[in-house]
Amino acid sequence: MSEQNGLGALPPLQRKSIELAYYGGLTYTEIGDVHHIPAGTARSLLRDALIGLRDRV
């Protein structure tokens, strides 16, 4: 079985946050509202997702 690359390799919450930010144009606060989490937590999700993507390249 091959290792997934890109967005498909991220946990679902991180993947959805990236999609909302980059494809939907949402801010940290708006992403937090969608996921019912604080804006700071949404920011951390995005940061962790970007680091995860970087490390897979």
Side-chain angles (χ1 to χ4, degrees):
M1 184 177 237
S2 65
E3 182 180 340
Q4 282 187 313
N5 291 320
L7 290 177
L10 295 174
L13 192 57
Q14 288 182 359
R15 181 175 56 248
K16 184 65 176 174
S17 296
I18 290 283
E19 291 169 350
L20 290 170
Y22 288 93
Y23 301 130
L26 272 62
T27 65
Y28 297 128
T29 303
E30 292 167 330
I31 292 168
D33 290 344
V34 168
H35 292 310
H36 307 288
I37 58 175
T41 303
R43 183 174 182 221
S44 295
L45 275 172
L46 287 168
R47 184 193 69 231
D48 293 345
L50 291 173
I51 290 169
L53 289 172
R54 180 195 67 195
D55 291 346
R56 285 176 174 82
V57 173

